[in-house]
Structure formats: C-alpha cells, structure tokens
C-alpha cells in the first residue's frame, strides 16, 4: 500500500487545494492512506513572527476541518483511509498551550516539526536571509530545538528533519551532506526511540534544489541502530497535484533499510504498517 501522511489542504494558511481534491488525487494515484496534517505553530506568547499567524487561522476553521474530514472518511470508506491529523510546530515552546490544543481535539495522528526558533527571531526558516546567517550555528540550534521538541512527547512522528535545507540553495554545498551534525542527530534518534515516536521520510526534497528525500539515508541507519522500527512517509504537499509524491520510492527506501512504514494511526496509536 502507498501512503502519504503529510499534506496540507485549504485548512492550512498556505494550502492550495480542497481536502476533497486531495482525496480524489490520492485515489487516482492508488494511494491507500493519507493524513491531513494542517499547520498549527506554537510560539512563546511574546514572540511576534513576521508571518501569517496560522494558529489563529486554523482555530477559525478547525470545526469545519473536523467535519469535512469526518464526512470524507465516510464517503471514501473502502477506497481511502483518511487520518484526522495536525502538524504541530514547536510544541516545546509552550507546553501548556500545546497540551490544551491537543486535548481539545481528537486527532488520530500528530506530526511534530520545527519551522521557527528564537535563533531566527521566530521567523520561519523560509523567510531568513541566509547571506546574513552563521549556518553551522543555525543548524546546531535547529537540531537542538528538534531534540527539545521530541522530549516534549507531544507528537507521533518527527517531520522533515533538516527543513532549513529546503531554503538554503547557494548557501551550502551540493550535494548536501550533514554528517558534521551526526552527534546531535544521534541524540534525536535515541530520544525518538525512547519516547516511541517515529521518524518521517519527507519526499518534498526530490522536487527541490537538493534533489533528495529528507533525512539522508545515514540518518535512517542511525535511527534503526538506536532501535527505531517504523517511519511515516509524507509528501508535505500543499496541492492536490503532488499527493503521494514519490511515496513508492520512500517506502522502498524504508524497506531496504529494514524499517516498516506506518499506514494508519487511530487515537495516536499505530494500527497498520506496510
Ligand atoms: Zn512543516
Ligand atoms: Zn507540512
């Protein structure tokens, strides 16, 4: 079975397709299981990011999102498994707000990720000017934030480990090799396993400048060495066109490394693997 457990519909501030169009695309492509992981970024209350506040945006439509997903689940029964989910950013920045948000919803799957940190003055990595950044320091901070995120425990899979790479074209060498951060990455892998959180293989990069999935295969090896058994596969697409982007390649990679791919979560628990 092909899976895509990371996608954004109109219910995310930057989504470009309706949830139903994404379901239609998934069925057309033979994808068996998808998760709508809309954006919800946690920031310290005093931080003022220079971007759309997607907490407010999602809060304004979360009832509609839930009802839409429920009706699509029913409509596509037997054709497509649809998982009600969220991409919760930086949960460790405000544990109380994160727990309150998760407790107020009945997500079957929580994808955790880092989009912005104090280091970048709480601006998304997408908006930083890399000619003015100390990149090794920024990456150290990024991995450190990922370790704190995993320690928060408010996630089922860790999304797009090495997200800043997407927007660093011209500022780091190609092909991208991040082995200098091996120690920091190893700590994250151990934390994942100790907290029963899985790692995501994110396929977006195959369509970006760095032309590879994230993370690199040596990270998957470390994950397995730490005791990791499962991964999720996600396209991180914001439009119907790219639902299931390179899902079969990611699943093949996972299997070649001795890892199983999670096909479904119910009530934050793995219920099906491929
Ligand atoms: Zn993300
Ligand atoms: Zn995403």
């Amino acid at each position: 079975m092909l899976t895509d457990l990371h996608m954004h519909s109109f219910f995310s501030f930057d989504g470009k397709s309706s949830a139903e169009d994404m379901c239609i695309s998934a069925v057309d492509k033979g994808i068996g299981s998808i998760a709508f992981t809309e954006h919800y970024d946690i920031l310290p209350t005093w931080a003022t990011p220079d971007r759309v506040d997607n907490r407010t945006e999602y809060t304004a439509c979360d009832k509609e999102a839930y009802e839409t997903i429920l009706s699509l689940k029913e409509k596509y029964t037997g054709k497509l498994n649809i998982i009600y989910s969220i991409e919760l950013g930086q949960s460790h920045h405000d544990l109380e707000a994160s727990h309150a948000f998760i407790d107020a919803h009945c997500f079957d799957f929580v994808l955790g990720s880092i989009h912005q940190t104090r280091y970048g003055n709480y601006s998304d990595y997408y908006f930083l000017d890399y000619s003015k950044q100390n990149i090794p320091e920024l990456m150290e901070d990024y991995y450190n934030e990922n370790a704190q995120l995993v320690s928060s425990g408010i996630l089922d899979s860790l999304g797009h480990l090495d997200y800043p790479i997407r927007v660093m074209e011209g500022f780091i060498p190609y092909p991208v090799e991040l082995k200098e951060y091996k120690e920091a990455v190893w700590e994250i892998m151990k934390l994942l396993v100790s907290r029963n959180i899985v790692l995501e293989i994110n396929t977006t990069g195959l369509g970006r400048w760095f032309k590879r999935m994230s993370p690199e295969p040596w990270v998957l090896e470390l994950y397995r060495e730490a005791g990791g058994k499962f991964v999720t596969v996600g396209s991180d697409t914001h439009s119907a066109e790219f639902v299931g982007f390179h899902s079969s390649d990611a699943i093949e990679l996972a299997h070649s490394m001795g890892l199983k791919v999670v096909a479904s979560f119910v009530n934050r628990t793995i219920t099906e693997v491929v």
Side-chain angles (χ1 to χ4, degrees), residues 50-124:
D50 59 351
R51 58 172 294 180
V52 177
D53 179 357
N54 62 51
R55 278 172 83 169
T56 311
E57 293 234 334
Y58 185 77
T59 303
C61 67
D62 70 345
K63 190 168 178 288
E64 191 192 344
Y66 176 59
E67 284 167 1
T68 301
I69 300 306
L70 272 194
S71 79
L72 288 171
K73 274 169 85 83
E74 202 179 312
K75 185 169 176 181
Y76 284 86
T77 303
K79 286 189 202 147
L80 179 65
N81 180 47
I82 301 169
I83 307 167
Y84 176 51
S85 321
I86 198 79
E87 180 176 3
L88 184 65
Q90 305 88 226
S91 46
H92 60 295
H93 284 180
D94 189 336
L95 290 172
E96 201 180 323
S98 298
H99 280 295
F101 175 71
I102 294 298
D103 290 350
H105 297 78
C106 51
F107 298 117
D108 283 312
F109 168 50
V110 177
L111 179 68
S113 63
I114 302 286
H115 297 123
Q116 51 216 308
T117 71
R118 179 193 288 265
Y119 189 86
N121 201 23
Y122 296 103
S123 180
D124 192 295

Side-chain angles (χ1 to χ4, degrees), residues 7-12 15-25 34 36 38 64 68-69 72 76 238-241 243:
M7 61 177 72
H8 301 272
S9 76
F10 280 150
F11 295 121
S12 289
K16 294 177 180 63
S17 298
S18 71
E20 174 132 37
D21 282 349
M22 299 184 98
C23 292
I24 293 166
S25 176
I34 61 171
F36 286 101
E38 312 298 356
E64 191 192 344
T68 301
I69 300 306
L72 288 171
Y76 284 86
H238 291 64
S239 69
E241 192 188 346
V243 169

Side-chain angles (χ1 to χ4, degrees), residues 181-227:
Y181 305 104
K182 192 171 172 184
E183 216 167 290
V185 170
W186 173 239
E187 290 307 314
I188 296 168
M189 298 303 113
K190 286 193 294 184
L191 283 169
L192 285 171
V193 173
S194 71
R195 282 160 177 73
N196 255 345
I197 297 162
V198 312
L199 181 63
E200 176 189 73
I201 300 180
N202 188 298
T203 60
T204 316
L206 287 168
R208 306 290 176 99
W209 72 276
F210 52 105
K211 301 279 180 266
R212 67 158 172 78
M213 293 184 238
S214 167
E216 294 168 79
W218 65 265
V219 177
L220 297 175
E221 264 168 40
L222 282 188
Y223 175 59
R224 199 192 43 201
E225 202 181 313

